[in-house]
Amino acid sequence: MALLKQCKQQVCDVIEQESEKLHALSQDIWKTPELAYKEHTAHQLLTSFFSSQAWEVQAHYHLDTAFRAQWSSEATDCPPLHVGFLCEYDAMPEIGHACGHNLIAEVGAAAALGLRGALESVQPPRQVQITVLGTPAEEDGGGKIDLIKAGAFEDMDVVLMAHPAQGDAGYIPDEAIHDVTVKYYGKASHASAYPWEGINALDAAILAYNNISVLRQQMKPTWRVHGIIKNGGVKPNIIPDYTELEFYLRAPSLKDLADLREKSYACFNSAATATGCKVELSSSTHDFYDVLPNKTLAKTYKENGKQVGMWFASEETELNAMAGSTDFGNVTYEVPGLHPYFYIGSNAFNHTAEYTEAAGSEKAQYYTLRTAKSLAMTALDVIFNPDLLESIRQDWKMAKEMEDIPSGIDTARDLNCRAGCSSFHIKNKTE
């Protein structure tokens, strides 16, 4: 216990010593917001940062803007324990880092530096490998899913990251999400002279939108469907021969998502039947899965967080908080993972211009670094306590068994979706 306590103090000391460099890294990413799969500056900044810290770095790791940075302690007779930290760094169109991914990158980097610094000062009970993965395209595309397919997580024992929000939480139930693009094809005609010659694709789009609205009465309270009409025609005096909609479907589990998808697709198809249009339904290559809970990891993280000044709401409040979706959910189907949320000193909501400002503020640094300390301290508990690791693995297996995955779905690679980031609001004790 004394050695573990010493290591945790070393984590905090190392992160504080590197705080200026970490802040500069976060600021440079924040000042140069880049969209999914185009995070070239962020990739260069992060790979250079870890190279300067004497990590073994693989740039362009399976994806052009992904990376892998590794460090290992001295070998022992026991098999190594592999801890992963994840960095996100893509931004949003027009409003930049409105989900604070610059801070996610900083947390991952800081936690990895702190953990390494602690392990360099002692002889851990077994060899430890630390991997930092740079994971692009969380806002649109799902870079983590690409990396899953490439085998990037196959040898990891536990994966940790943290997401900025409006309060500290050990676990929020992020939802699974499926996206669908709906295209209706009709027949153009003069809307005044001979409208009967046309087949109105806009009518199909409006019917589909209204069908979804009618469906809401029979939706479960935890289901979400939201969409837009991207193309509604060309001119008022031309019967529209083409329209396009885009929808996101969200549910708390893969089974619920499959049910919601079936009902929603019926709404889209019936609109085509009613208007005589042809319909085309398509989706992106990745669905985002729900984040599997791991009570042992969340409990350990919260215990460490309290030591550095975090305040957490009750577990019931966390479970009932509003959340979004993330491709980290797919990671939790591959390896035990932790995706807590952290307060950054602002009441602003994610995906707003106000949150962009908060994510780049000096005030956010204190909260970001204490989150990194908590993640690294949690990793130390896993390293020094084999029983804890076994409990984490049992929680993971149980969560997968309870998921009731629909038959025919490969849990890492099927359902087809993309998503936006997550946000929730719990009143912070400091507010």
Side-chain angles (χ1 to χ4, degrees):
M1 288 295 294
L3 181 59
L4 179 57
K5 184 176 180 181
Q6 173 189 331
C7 287
K8 289 185 177 183
Q9 183 58 54
Q10 185 69 9
V11 159
C12 297
D13 293 344
V14 170
I15 290 175
E16 287 298 328
Q17 290 164 12
E18 300 290 338
S19 60
E20 290 186 10
K21 294 178 182 177
L22 290 162
H23 185 200
L25 175 66
S26 176
Q27 283 290 295
D28 287 343
I29 295 172
W30 181 80
K31 291 174 183 176
T32 314
E34 299 166 303
L35 300 182
Y37 295 113
K38 299 178 181 178
E39 313 96 327
H40 302 289
T41 299
H43 173 273
Q44 188 275 325
L45 289 167
L46 284 156
T47 53
S48 296
F49 176 84
F50 280 102
S51 294
S52 71
Q53 299 280 342
W55 289 66
E56 180 184 335
V57 177
Q58 292 175 265
H60 314 296
Y61 181 68
H62 297 299
L63 298 170
D64 191 37
T65 54
F67 72 89
R68 183 182 183 110
Q70 290 185 306
W71 175 87
S72 295
S73 64
E74 292 184 7
T76 65
D77 294 334
C78 299
L81 188 148
H82 192 172
V83 177
F85 295 103
L86 304 190
C87 295
E88 294 175 5
Y89 35 85
D90 61 323
M92 304 190 71
E94 298 184 7
I95 54 176
H97 280 287
C99 214
H101 287 195
N102 59 304
L103 302 179
I104 296 177
E106 183 180 4
V107 164
L113 293 189
L115 181 59
R116 173 182 171 174
L119 296 178
E120 284 180 326
S121 66
V122 299
Q123 177 63 51
R126 59 192 295 186
Q127 184 183 18
V128 177
Q129 179 177 323
I130 305 172
T131 294
V132 183
L133 280 183
T135 60
E138 192 276 344
E139 291 289 354
D140 186 6
K144 295 179 189 65
I145 306 171
D146 296 317
L147 291 172
I148 288 171
K149 292 180 178 180
F153 296 92
E154 287 180 356
D155 61 342
M156 292 189 183
D157 292 292
V158 64
V159 179
L160 311 171
M161 66 170 290
H163 195 295
Q166 294 75 43
D168 295 316
Y171 171 76
I172 296 293
D174 292 272
E175 295 195 311
I177 181 171
H178 173 80
D179 79 294
V180 57
T181 297
V182 186
K183 298 179 180 180
Y184 291 107
Y185 299 91
K187 180 183 177 183
S189 180
H190 196 292
S192 176
Y194 31 86
W196 55 85
E197 293 292 335
I199 299 175
N200 198 318
L202 181 58
D203 284 346
I206 298 300
L207 273 179
Y209 196 94
N210 287 333
N211 286 346
I212 291 293
S213 295
V214 172
L215 176 64
R216 295 185 196 282
Q217 185 179 3
Q218 275 68 52
M219 286 184 190
K220 294 181 180 180
T222 51
W223 291 4
R224 298 287 185 271
V225 177
H226 37 97
I228 58 172
I229 298 176
K230 297 180 69 175
N231 188 323
V234 180
K235 285 187 68 178
N237 63 346
I238 303 173
I239 298 291
D241 64 350
Y242 173 78
T243 54
E244 181 178 337
L245 306 91
E246 185 175 3
F247 275 85
Y248 285 172
L249 318 177
R250 302 185 198 242
S253 69
L254 296 182
K255 184 178 184 302
D256 270 4
L257 184 61
D259 292 343
L260 178 58
R261 182 175 60 173
E262 182 179 358
K263 294 176 184 295
S264 298
Y265 276 34
C267 291
F268 303 137
N269 287 321
S270 63
T273 301
T275 58
C277 290
K278 294 181 180 179
V279 62
E280 178 182 304
L281 305 177
S282 61
S283 60
S284 61
T285 57
H286 298 324
D287 275 355
F288 287 13
Y289 295 175
D290 52 307
V291 175
L292 294 179
N294 195 295
K295 290 186 177 181
T296 301
L297 266 176
K299 180 175 181 290
T300 305
Y301 172 79
K302 290 167 77 169
E303 288 171 351
N304 285 303
K306 291 173 184 177
Q307 292 182 33
V308 294
M310 289 185 178
W311 178 84
F312 298 94
S314 68
E315 183 177 339
E316 180 182 2
T317 301
E318 291 183 353
L319 291 174
N320 289 322
M322 295 301 295
S325 306
T326 170
D327 56 355
F328 188 81
N330 302 61
V331 175
T332 64
Y333 278 78
E334 302 294 309
V335 60
L338 179 68
H339 185 270
Y341 288 84
F342 65 98
Y343 182 63
I344 64 169
S346 171
N347 294 325
F349 287 97
N350 299 60
H351 292 201
T352 65
E354 292 78 13
Y355 208 82
T356 302
E357 182 180 354
S361 70
E362 183 77 28
K363 187 177 182 180
Q365 286 307 297
Y366 165 76
Y367 302 103
T368 300
L369 294 183
R370 78 174 183 181
T371 301
K373 294 170 185 176
S374 301
L375 280 185
M377 292 161 68
T378 300
L380 282 173
D381 284 321
V382 175
I383 292 165
F384 280 86
N385 187 346
D387 292 338
L388 185 67
L389 180 58
E390 182 57 31
S391 179
I392 289 167
R393 287 171 172 162
Q394 289 301 317
D395 283 355
W396 177 62
K397 292 176 183 177
M398 185 178 301
K400 290 183 71 174
E401 290 172 359
M402 292 179 64
E403 180 63 25
D404 191 18
I405 300 165
S407 61
I409 291 179
D410 179 339
T411 56
R413 303 166 176 86
D414 232 343
L415 264 171
N416 306 328
C417 191
R418 68 185 160 190
C421 242
S422 310
S423 67
F424 78 100
H425 187 266
I426 291 177
K427 187 172 180 62
N428 194 284
K429 193 174 182 180
T430 60
E431 293 178 19

